[in-house]
Amino acid sequence: MSLKILQTQSDFKNASLVSIDQLNLKSLETILNRAKEIKQNPSKFRDVLKDKILFSVFLANSTRTRLSTEAAWLKLGGSLTSVVGDQDTSIKKGETIDHTLQMYAGYQPDVIAIRTKQEKIPFFASQIFSDISWVNCGDGNNEHPTQALLDIFTIQENFANIEKIKVGFVGDIKHGRTIKSLARLLKLFNTEMYFFAPESLHSKQELEQLGIKYNQKQIQDLPLEVKNLDLIYATRPQLERMSIEDKEKYQKGVYQITEKILKDSKALIMHPLPIDSSNLPEVDPNLETDPRILYFKQAANALWTRMAIFSLLQGI
Ligand code: NCD
């Protein structure tokens, strides 16, 4: 089993994007330049996917990723059909995911964008049904490559030198596929990274195995350390993916980024969203209008980044 490295435009043509392992600095340049080009002049790409079909298969909860994925495809002129949740699928009749995916692939869409509860499904699908272009939109606790790309696009819009910034990841590192995926891209730039989490939500071993220097911090250290950070990337506790043991250990409401914490800080704030307002929200709602908050701009960048990814995978 092997993964294709995507660097130049011709590498992307008809390929799958299922893992951060496929990306290096050259790949980022190709994708981010395209995203910038589309953002500046979206009408130039209006009809490039005419007669192309996307299957948008979201077998786990999603709002932003699914809608921006579908909007990106439609804005490029393609057509699509969606599977939203596994409730209405034959998985609920006992069909295996392998059979389900074999069916989807058999109907010959041009791209299948897929989110799954289980890890590695998009990777295996891309290996087994390799005539289809698969895009991983989040597989369990594992990876979220398209989110990491839109995150990097947003960082690049706000910082001239990604190499020189200090990034603090805050929240649920252990179950946060967005954090793990973005940290792997930032590693390509040798960006300095710090990891602030409640004890049970750290993931030192896993990130070190991925080659990331894990500067571990206590969540209580954030107010003291925030003045050294240029960027905070916060996440919610991902309760739906925690083991019973982790859920028991996790104390609700132990972290929140507030105006007080940010008082003497220049740090910009990103978040993949959603913010969990059913508990203590990870970012104080009073901060929402603060110019340091980037997450709505970040979410909007999903459109340009996913348009870039789709156009490249379709050989445009
Ligand atoms: C994230 C995800 O699904 O991993 N959100 C997203 O894709 N925009 C983060 C989350 O659900 O907390």
Side-chain angles (χ1 to χ4, degrees), residues 70-88:
E70 296 184 354
W73 187 267
L74 292 170
K75 281 197 177 277
L76 293 166
S79 309
L80 63 84
T81 185
S82 331
V83 178
V84 184
D86 59 7
Q87 279 307 324
D88 297 328

Side-chain angles (χ1 to χ4, degrees), residues 61 64-65 115 137 144 147 177-178 235-236 238 240-241 271-274 306:
N61 289 3
R64 267 152 291 268
T65 305
R115 170 171 286 193
C137 290
H144 199 344
Q147 176 74 38
R177 56 192 174 199
T178 60
T235 57
R236 72 186 167 91
Q238 319 253 308
E240 76 282 13
R241 293 203 298 276
H271 191 305
L273 301 177
R306 293 192 165 113

Side-chain angles (χ1 to χ4, degrees), residues 148-162:
L149 287 164
L150 76 91
D151 290 341
I152 283 282
F153 183 68
T154 308
I155 295 173
Q156 204 182 49
E157 280 188 329
N158 287 278
F159 296 97
N161 279 312
I162 302 186

Side-chain angles (χ1 to χ4, degrees), residues 268-280:
L268 303 181
I269 317 294
M270 287 174 64
H271 191 305
L273 301 177
I275 288 173
D276 183 357
S277 61
S278 68
N279 292 306
L280 181 72

Side-chain angles (χ1 to χ4, degrees), residues 48-94:
V48 293
L49 296 190
K50 197 170 170 306
D51 300 329
K52 303 278 186 181
I53 295 176
L54 169 75
F55 283 1
S56 160
V57 179
F58 280 74
L59 301 172
N61 289 3
S62 174
T63 309
R64 267 152 291 268
T65 305
R66 183 173 69 80
L67 281 182
S68 61
T69 293
E70 296 184 354
W73 187 267
L74 292 170
K75 281 197 177 277
L76 293 166
S79 309
L80 63 84
T81 185
S82 331
V83 178
V84 184
D86 59 7
Q87 279 307 324
D88 297 328
T89 66
S90 291
I91 295 171
K92 287 286 160 200
K93 297 183 192 164

Side-chain angles (χ1 to χ4, degrees), residues 30-296:
T30 307
I31 298 169
L32 302 185
N33 283 347
R34 172 61 61 85
K36 207 166 150 191
E37 189 187 355
I38 297 178
K39 187 171 183 176
Q40 276 161 3
N41 188 5
S43 61
K44 190 177 155 198
F45 290 82
R46 197 169 34 217
D47 291 321
V48 293
L49 296 190
K50 197 170 170 306
D51 300 329
K52 303 278 186 181
I53 295 176
L54 169 75
F55 283 1
S56 160
V57 179
F58 280 74
L59 301 172
N61 289 3
S62 174
T63 309
R64 267 152 291 268
T65 305
R66 183 173 69 80
L67 281 182
S68 61
T69 293
E70 296 184 354
W73 187 267
L74 292 170
K75 281 197 177 277
L76 293 166
S79 309
L80 63 84
T81 185
S82 331
V83 178
V84 184
D86 59 7
Q87 279 307 324
D88 297 328
T89 66
S90 291
I91 295 171
K92 287 286 160 200
K93 297 183 192 164
E95 185 171 56
T96 61
I97 189 132
D98 311 34
H99 275 190
T100 301
L101 298 183
Q102 186 158 346
M103 290 304 106
Y104 294 158
Y107 302 137
Q108 295 290 303
D110 296 281
V111 175
I112 299 181
I114 184 163
R115 170 171 286 193
T116 54
K117 289 179 186 162
Q118 305 93 322
E119 297 185 2
K120 299 266 178 146
I121 298 285
F123 165 72
F124 288 121
S126 72
Q127 300 289 311
I128 299 166
F129 310 111
S130 54
D131 53 331
I132 306 283
S133 176
W134 296 82
V135 176
N136 181 0
C137 290
D139 59 321
N141 286 335
N142 190 34
E143 293 201 42
H144 199 344
T146 63
Q147 176 74 38
L149 287 164
L150 76 91
D151 290 341
I152 283 282
F153 183 68
T154 308
I155 295 173
Q156 204 182 49
E157 280 188 329
N158 287 278
F159 296 97
N161 279 312
I162 302 186
E163 298 78 1
K164 298 223 173 96
I165 60 173
K166 293 194 174 78
V167 180
F169 288 104
V170 177
D172 187 353
I173 310 209
K174 185 166 180 182
H175 310 90
R177 56 192 174 199
T178 60
I179 291 187
K180 290 179 225 168
S181 296
L182 177 58
R184 291 172 69 190
L185 290 188
L186 288 174
K187 178 183 164 256
L188 300 172
F189 296 89
N190 285 320
T191 303
E192 230 175 285
M193 295 180 255
Y194 298 86
F195 296 86
F196 297 83
E199 202 53 49
S200 64
L201 302 184
H202 271 294
S203 195
K204 187 171 184 343
Q205 212 184 353
E206 187 187 359
L207 280 154
E208 282 185 347
Q209 268 164 12
L210 294 167
I212 289 157
K213 184 165 175 237
Y214 198 87
N215 293 311
Q216 180 163 340
K217 299 282 176 186
Q218 299 303 316
I219 194 81
Q220 304 87 303
D221 296 338
L222 186 63
L224 267 180
E225 307 249 357
V226 75
K227 55 182 177 306
N228 301 321
L229 299 174
D230 301 294
L231 176 65
I232 292 173
Y233 189 98
T235 57
R236 72 186 167 91
Q238 319 253 308
L239 291 156
E240 76 282 13
R241 293 203 298 276
M242 280 186 200
S243 63
I244 297 171
E245 213 189 0
D246 279 342
K247 245 190 205 160
E248 271 167 9
K249 277 193 226 151
Y250 178 67
Q251 261 183 301
K252 285 193 176 148
V254 285
Y255 64 95
Q256 184 181 53
I257 294 161
T258 58
E259 276 171 319
K260 193 169 163 223
I261 290 181
L262 293 183
K263 194 164 66 70
D264 298 316
S265 163
K266 58 179 183 318
L268 303 181
I269 317 294
M270 287 174 64
H271 191 305
L273 301 177
I275 288 173
D276 183 357
S277 61
S278 68
N279 292 306
L280 181 72
E282 308 81 74
V283 184
D284 183 345
N286 289 324
L287 275 169
E288 215 114 276
T289 52
D290 188 294
R292 288 169 293 184
I293 295 291
L294 286 187
Y295 39 76
F296 296 116

